[in-house]
Amino acid sequence: MGVYIITRKNFYLAVIFILQILAQLGLGLYIMSIPWRIVALTIDSLKLDIVYLSLTLAFDSLVLIVTLTVTITAAQQSPTKHWLKVIQNDGILYFMAIFSSTLIWLMFGVAARDGLKFINAM
């Protein structure tokens, strides 16, 4: 919602983000609908988790890029607006926190031993 507002209600960006969220939601619901016995016995469920986490990382990266692009452009046009710097700083902090935790989760899913693969699920 924030990206929609700061981009002055850009319809095309809104559609891209909505499609991204719907893809994540659909994949998440599909993953949760798989019986746990099948999930425990197949490697396919891990691949689906990796795709889900990759979609999450892509979404967070797109939000950061759009936020920085819009606020840097607006700050150049009107350098006296302090709130643009606040949006940039908050966007970067949000990105670093969420992106790094999701990236670690993804790396555990790909490379960690079985006991650590789903540590964030707890």
Side-chain angles (χ1 to χ4, degrees):
M1 183 66 140
V3 174
Y4 183 67
I5 292 169
I6 67 168
T7 59
R8 297 186 176 142
K9 300 180 180 179
N10 186 317
F11 176 76
Y12 299 108
L13 281 176
V15 168
I16 290 169
F17 284 115
I18 288 170
L19 290 174
Q20 174 84 19
I21 290 172
L22 289 176
Q24 282 182 261
L25 178 64
L27 184 58
L29 290 173
Y30 176 73
I31 291 170
M32 288 189 293
S33 71
I34 300 171
W36 70 271
R37 288 186 184 106
I38 295 173
V39 170
L41 297 175
T42 65
I43 198 73
D44 291 336
S45 62
L46 180 60
K47 290 178 184 175
L48 291 175
D49 287 340
I50 290 169
V51 171
Y52 179 81
L53 292 172
S54 298
L55 284 172
T56 303
L57 291 173
F59 180 82
D60 291 340
S61 298
L62 285 173
V63 168
L64 178 71
I65 290 167
V66 168
T67 301
L68 290 178
T69 302
V70 169
T71 56
I72 288 170
T73 303
Q76 289 172 348
Q77 293 171 357
S78 178
T80 59
K81 295 192 177 182
H82 174 71
W83 61 272
L84 294 171
K85 189 70 171 166
V86 171
I87 292 174
Q88 286 176 345
N89 290 339
D90 290 351
I92 291 169
L93 288 174
Y94 164 81
F95 176 78
M96 288 185 338
I98 300 300
F99 188 86
S100 62
S101 66
T102 305
L103 183 61
I104 290 169
W105 186 7
L106 178 65
M107 289 170 36
F108 273 143
V110 171
R113 63 178 195 253
D114 288 341
L116 293 175
K117 283 193 187 295
F118 301 107
I119 192 92
N120 279 357
M122 296 179 183

